[in-house]
Amino acid sequence: MSTLVVHDVELDGTAGFDVLIRDGRIAEVGSALTTPRRSEVIDGRGGVLIPGLHDHHIHLHALAADRASVRCGPPHVHTVDDLAAALNAASGDDWIRGVGYFESVAGMLDSQALDRLHSTRPVRIQHRSGALWILNSTAAALVGLDTADHPGVERDDAGRPTGRVWRADTWLRDRLPDTGPPPLDALGTELAGYGITGLTDATPDLSPSSLTALIDAHTSGAVPQRLHLLGAPNGFTSADPAVTVGPYKIVLADSGLPDLDVLTETIRSTHAAGRAVAVHCVSREAFAILLAVFTEVGAHPGDRIEHGALVPAESITDLHRLGLRVVTQPGFLADRGDSYLQEVDPRDVGDLYRCRSLLDSVVPLALSSDAPYGPLDPWQIVEAAVTRTAASGAVVGASERLDPAEAIAGFLSAADDPGGRSRTVAPGGRADVVLLDRPLADALA
């Protein structure tokens, strides 16, 4: 299909437009356009045509692997017996990969606790934060935890590995059976069904095989969305203009504060190479350290904070002063809000996943999923940003609510300008567009 006319759509609140699309670009916008011969016509029936949504923080291969894994936490698994049943019911006879574990199920698991649940096959379970893997004894022996020197391998007072491995995905993956990156075909289709036409993959330090697999998935059409990669190595360029390199991803691990000098040098050297940084930051302590480093080295255009799970009120003016932007995930409030209300210090609840206060302070704000660790559906995330309601109905930080138009705008900025001006449906622009089945005001309501 090279020519398409979308007839009778709403644009920017006004009904009755036709949009002519030719060779992937919006060629003409107007009322009662002449339909070219041999073109396809879609009747919009008065629905709004908006720019395609962009998920500004997602982990594609982790999401695909997640879909093929055993669910090990709420809302699927709630007790020790539930977890044992889920592991014992896993298909196959080799490794069991579990995901979504949370301590409410069976406490802080280690190898011994996991052995009591399942010891026959090697088992590795990922904490729902994505920061931790727990291995049973069979799995620990296969990957050589006993002789491992990676700093993420936790040990007890006697020097024995506990089975917990923190922030060591690449190290662990290199010691597992090589199955290659998981296929992404089903995900590409699902994401398109949500109206997502662009993705920022936020996986840090992509391996050559993962990088190649992502590009091949786009080239083949399995993932039709445009790709913006935070984990591409410095100096990488793609021949495909739909695959671009974003800021360099840096992780400030929740399990241990970063070395201040190392973080400073990493950000300074990345800036010197002409590249911005995207820094994973979810705790008050990490946030304070990060602001101190940016104050020392200065910010580069495009520098961004990933998650901003806890942004102290007194630091918001610093974000504006430094010109930093925040890519956050209010979907976590709907998914885990009740846990936050139980476990987070009440004094910190108002600082969780800020939205309104950032916009009011002119801090660029973009929304995203962080899937598979957060909900994938962008429309659920928009609703969460508007209502900030947990599963129980409790509200988490009512003063941080966005109105519906502001929330959807969180998905409409360009990949290289998260939180910037919303893209529009206008002549000359890319025809990455979404047709809704009703006017925008009705959809947002």
Side-chain angles (χ1 to χ4, degrees):
M1 177 179 63
S2 61
T3 305
L4 170 69
V5 174
V6 189
H7 172 67
D8 185 22
V9 296
E10 176 190 274
L11 292 176
D12 298 324
T14 302
F17 280 99
D18 295 343
V19 177
L20 172 64
I21 295 169
R22 183 178 288 119
D23 298 326
R25 291 277 175 179
I26 298 169
E28 193 173 353
V29 174
S31 300
L33 294 182
T34 300
T35 302
R37 296 179 58 191
R38 293 188 296 277
S39 61
E40 181 174 348
V41 178
I42 293 176
D43 187 354
R45 300 178 182 177
V48 64
L49 194 69
I50 64 172
L53 308 184
H54 188 97
D55 189 330
H56 289 281
H57 185 121
I58 190 172
H59 302 271
L60 283 169
H61 283 140
L63 179 57
D66 179 271
R67 293 294 172 82
S69 299
V70 176
R71 321 314 298 181
C72 293
H76 311 278
V77 168
H78 296 280
T79 68
V80 173
D81 290 342
D82 290 346
L83 180 56
L87 295 174
N88 291 327
S91 60
D93 55 9
D94 200 355
W95 281 80
I96 297 174
R97 184 185 195 273
V99 296
Y101 181 75
F102 189 60
E103 295 90 323
S104 63
V105 175
M108 192 61 172
L109 287 176
D110 57 15
S111 285
Q112 292 183 0
L114 198 46
D115 288 345
R116 291 192 289 271
L117 299 174
H118 190 100
S119 60
T120 307
R121 294 164 61 183
V123 177
R124 58 188 175 111
I125 294 179
Q126 187 181 47
H127 190 272
R128 73 178 186 182
S129 66
L132 169 68
W133 286 96
I134 307 112
L135 282 63
N136 70 356
S137 295
T138 304
L142 287 173
V143 303
L145 274 197
D146 200 41
T147 57
D149 59 0
H150 191 282
V153 176
E154 183 183 286
R155 296 180 180 275
D156 62 20
D157 292 340
R160 296 182 295 263
T162 64
R164 301 182 192 123
V165 183
W166 298 87
R167 292 286 177 196
D169 286 25
T170 301
W171 179 89
L172 184 58
R173 189 182 306 115
D174 290 343
R175 285 153 181 79
L176 297 172
D178 184 11
T179 58
L184 301 175
D185 309 55
L187 281 183
T189 300
E190 180 181 357
L191 291 163
Y194 291 134
I196 295 175
T197 62
L199 301 162
T200 294
D201 188 279
T203 307
D205 299 320
L206 288 166
S207 67
S209 61
S210 294
L211 182 60
T212 298
L214 286 171
I215 295 172
D216 288 348
H218 176 76
T219 302
S220 70
V223 177
Q225 289 80 14
R226 300 179 186 278
L227 297 178
H228 196 56
L229 307 177
L230 304 187
N234 286 328
F236 173 81
T237 57
S238 170
D240 187 338
V243 179
T244 52
V245 175
Y248 176 67
K249 177 73 177 290
I250 299 171
V251 175
L252 304 190
D254 337 350
S255 53
L257 293 177
D259 181 281
L260 189 61
D261 292 336
V262 171
L263 178 61
T264 300
E265 180 53 34
T266 300
I267 293 178
R268 181 180 281 123
S269 61
T270 303
H271 286 174
R275 189 174 180 183
V277 295
V279 187
H280 167 110
C281 184
V282 299
S283 71
R284 181 181 294 275
E285 295 78 11
F287 195 89
I289 289 173
L290 182 58
L291 282 188
V293 172
F294 274 125
T295 298
E296 178 179 343
V297 306
H300 187 281
D303 280 346
R304 44 191 274 183
I305 294 177
E306 305 302 302
H307 311 300
L310 198 155
V311 177
E314 63 271 17
S315 299
I316 297 175
T317 55
D318 293 320
L319 292 175
H320 175 69
R321 172 179 57 83
L322 290 165
L324 299 170
R325 58 191 71 211
V326 175
V327 178
T328 194
Q329 296 90 30
F332 280 123
L333 301 175
D335 191 48
R336 306 179 187 175
D338 291 317
S339 294
Y340 294 152
L341 291 174
Q342 292 175 5
E343 297 158 14
V344 173
D345 188 316
R347 294 171 297 181
D348 292 337
V349 169
D351 295 333
L352 293 174
Y353 295 100
R354 288 184 176 274
C355 292
R356 161 60 53 206
S357 56
L358 297 180
L359 286 186
D360 287 349
S361 298
V362 199
V363 174
L365 177 74
L367 303 187
S368 59
S369 68
D370 195 25
Y373 312 110
L376 176 61
D377 184 344
W379 302 98
Q380 292 180 0
I381 297 167
V382 166
E383 182 177 5
V386 172
T387 67
R388 299 184 68 91
T389 302
S392 67
V395 175
V396 186
S399 63
E400 293 294 329
R401 286 169 167 159
L402 300 180
D403 69 41
E406 291 168 330
I408 193 64
F411 286 99
L412 296 181
S413 53
D416 60 357
D417 187 25
R421 185 187 301 273
S422 293
R423 291 167 289 121
T424 60
V425 179
R430 293 171 178 163
D432 298 343
V433 292
V434 178
L435 176 62
L436 304 188
D437 63 356
R438 64 200 71 190
L440 185 59
D442 294 346
L444 295 181

